[in-house]
Amino acid sequence: MTRTALITGAGSGIGLEAARLLARDGITVVLVGRRQEELHKAEATIHAEGGTALALAADITRVDDVTRVLDRVHAEFGPVDILVNNAGSASSVLNPQWLPHDEWRQVLDVNLTAVFQLTQAVLPDMLGRDAGTIVTVSSLAAVNPNLLGGAAYGAAKAGVRNFMTFLHNTFRDQGLRAVTVLPGETDTPILDNRARPPAVEERANMLQPQDVAEAIHLAITLPQRVVLQEIVVAPTRQRDTSADLEISRWAGAPADASPQH
């Protein structure tokens, strides 16, 4: 029987690579993201590789959008077997001294609240059949927060790690596998929004999207009796981030607060 996986942030990067791997295993993949054009390209890629995919543009921070997505999935494919919470967002201001409240809320909405809303929406499908897998892409910023990801990002990623542990402790005996993936620096488009985007040569030794996707794929495709509760995926080489941290400290600071003043 074909299984269905709903993947957020699936238009590019980790989400797309995870979707491609799952589709190659015969799993139907529902690609969710904000940009329809990007999702259609991802959908076409998976179809060209012989997989089954459906692209659905949605704002997963909105309950109405989540409901619309689930209604469409249920109508076309039936229950959701797998949820991959991969969509992420970081603030442009990293230091809590200057961080605008609306940026704080936006980062928590995407990285934490949306994960809760999607999880709540698929739990009846999974608990009703005593089987299901929820994988959430957190970050090593959850365990070692700093100015690279910023205050809001680190707090949100720690929050989803806690939430997934809650799901594991609460529902494992009802067949739910709750998995947290904690990647280190990964060469994805989110790096372009940093206070100092890493150079090409710096990105060469970072994780690549397919590396993290392989960890997601492993957690999903192992037998149902096995749960990889947490997976840390880190670059072998640790780069010097001291310059990045100093630049990030002053991003968004008032002119009279900067060290050049």
Side-chain angles (χ1 to χ4, degrees):
M1 185 175 179
T2 302
R3 292 189 291 169
T4 299
L6 193 160
I7 305 166
T8 67
S12 63
I14 295 168
L16 173 57
E17 295 304 321
R20 293 175 68 191
L21 290 174
L22 294 173
R24 288 170 193 166
D25 285 340
I27 296 171
T28 296
V29 292
V30 179
L31 312 173
V32 178
R34 290 171 299 168
R35 294 180 290 276
Q36 188 70 61
E37 183 178 355
E38 196 172 57
L39 291 172
H40 278 319
K41 289 179 182 177
E43 182 184 51
T45 296
I46 290 168
H47 287 166
E49 295 173 349
T52 301
L54 172 66
L56 295 176
D59 179 351
I60 57 172
T61 67
R62 296 174 56 87
V63 175
D64 288 351
D65 274 25
V66 171
T67 300
R68 173 175 57 80
V69 166
L70 264 293
D71 286 348
R72 178 78 180 276
V73 174
H74 288 157
E76 295 209 17
F77 305 118
V80 174
D81 302 280
I82 300 152
L83 170 64
V84 180
N85 293 303
N86 168 69
S89 175
S91 60
S92 60
V93 179
L94 298 309
N95 190 328
Q97 285 180 277
W98 334 117
L99 180 61
H101 290 191
D102 61 340
E103 283 200 31
W104 170 272
R105 285 190 293 270
Q106 191 269 336
V107 172
L108 264 69
D109 280 349
V110 173
N111 294 286
L112 179 56
T113 302
V115 171
F116 159 70
Q117 291 173 170
L118 283 159
T119 297
Q120 187 179 61
V122 302
L123 276 178
D125 288 353
M126 298 180 180
L127 300 181
R129 292 175 300 136
D130 294 317
T133 304
I134 299 176
V135 180
T136 295
V137 180
S138 178
S139 168
L140 282 180
V143 293
N144 184 31
N146 57 43
L147 284 161
L148 277 184
Y153 185 79
K157 291 300 188 180
V160 290
R161 183 190 185 207
N162 181 284
F163 182 54
M164 295 301 289
T165 303
F166 174 90
L167 295 176
H168 173 77
N169 290 339
T170 305
F171 298 116
R172 62 188 299 180
D173 290 336
Q174 292 173 260
L176 181 69
R177 299 189 299 178
V179 180
T180 307
V181 178
L182 299 108
E185 280 196 304
T186 308
D187 185 12
T188 64
I190 200 170
L191 295 186
D192 298 331
N193 298 324
R194 281 194 177 171
R196 189 191 79 83
V200 172
E201 57 271 20
E202 293 176 294
R203 299 186 189 213
N205 288 322
M206 290 182 182
L207 299 175
Q208 297 304 304
Q210 55 267 36
D211 301 331
V212 184
E214 289 281 3
I216 295 169
H217 178 257
L218 175 63
I220 291 169
T221 56
L222 280 172
Q224 176 66 29
R225 65 178 178 271
V226 182
V227 58
L228 298 181
Q229 185 185 349
E230 286 197 347
I231 309 173
V232 173
V233 189
T236 301
R237 297 181 184 272
Q238 179 66 50
R239 74 183 184 94
D240 179 5
T241 59
S242 55
D244 304 66
L245 293 172
E246 185 58 23
I247 292 170
S248 298
R249 180 181 300 276
W250 300 104
D256 61 359
S258 69
Q260 290 81 24
H261 181 73

